[in-house]
Amino acid sequence: MKYTCTVLSVADIHVARTFYEELFGLEVFQDYGINIAFTCGLALQQEFDWLVGVPKESVLSRSHNMELAFETEDFDGFLEKLAAYPGLRRLGDVIEHTWGQRVIRFYDPDRHLIEVGEDMKMVVQRFLDQGMTLQEVSDRMDVSVEDLNKLLLGYTRT
């Protein structure tokens, strides 16, 4: 079994594609007109009701039961880019989670919830640069030293 992608229902494939390309720099892998797949594993589907065989009125908007999560090494730069994006609806302001990661949440044009946060490796490095030991960072973030080392060494999931 292999996970292949997440498919989002969108009202206008062109508006959604532009949003994800401009704001996140996503690259299109496949373009089938009303279905677009990005290289990262995200796909957009116009006419989602037709695709999955459900009544159009049963396709919900802004259900608040999932979010797309992105991380960036330049969080402050992304916030500037976000502020300049027209008509964007935020869920709230920037927050800092108890583990130290700053994040912001907002909606895409189809009201899917998106979170963009600091790259976790950058959060760990920020704490180390402040003079904390790896054990202190582990305690602060409630993450094992082993997992922090994986993060710092660039371990990726397979």
Side-chain angles (χ1 to χ4, degrees):
M1 182 72 62
K2 177 183 170 186
Y3 172 81
T4 58
C5 72
T6 298
V7 180
L8 297 181
S9 171
V10 300
D12 184 321
I13 196 77
H14 303 293
V15 169
R17 176 183 179 163
T18 299
F19 176 82
Y20 284 96
E21 285 179 325
E22 287 181 357
L23 198 54
F24 299 99
L26 300 188
E27 297 177 23
V28 172
F29 175 63
Q30 296 170 314
D31 182 346
Y32 299 112
I34 62 170
N35 177 280
I36 294 173
F38 294 105
T39 57
C40 66
L42 177 65
L44 308 173
Q45 176 71 46
Q46 188 172 304
E47 300 177 20
F48 191 77
D49 55 315
W50 163 83
L51 176 70
V52 298
V54 299
K56 190 175 208 78
E57 62 275 3
S58 73
V59 179
L60 303 177
S61 175
R62 200 171 78 182
S63 61
H64 286 143
N65 64 356
M66 63 87 58
E67 71 179 6
L68 297 177
F70 294 86
E71 290 185 350
T72 178
E73 292 182 0
D74 183 11
F75 186 71
D76 293 321
F78 179 78
L79 291 176
E80 291 175 12
K81 189 174 184 180
L82 194 64
Y85 202 88
L88 194 86
R89 294 181 50 197
R90 294 182 181 206
L91 183 60
D93 293 323
V94 173
I95 62 168
E96 183 173 323
H97 286 294
T98 57
W99 55 89
Q101 182 188 37
R102 294 182 303 150
V103 301
I104 188 152
R105 290 185 174 91
F106 53 94
Y107 298 98
D108 77 359
D110 293 284
R111 298 170 35 157
H112 298 106
L113 185 58
I114 298 174
E115 172 192 284
V116 174
E118 292 176 288
D119 178 270
M120 288 303 294
K121 182 176 180 178
M122 304 298 287
V123 176
V124 173
Q125 193 60 56
R126 183 176 73 234
F127 288 148
L128 293 173
D129 291 346
Q130 292 171 0
M132 296 173 75
T133 66
L134 202 53
Q135 184 58 56
E136 289 171 330
V137 174
S138 170
D139 295 341
R140 166 71 165 82
M141 296 181 74
D142 195 25
V143 176
S144 72
V145 170
E146 178 185 2
D147 282 347
L148 291 177
N149 278 320
K150 286 178 184 176
L151 192 61
L152 290 171
L153 295 173
Y155 171 82
T156 57
R157 291 176 252 186
T158 55

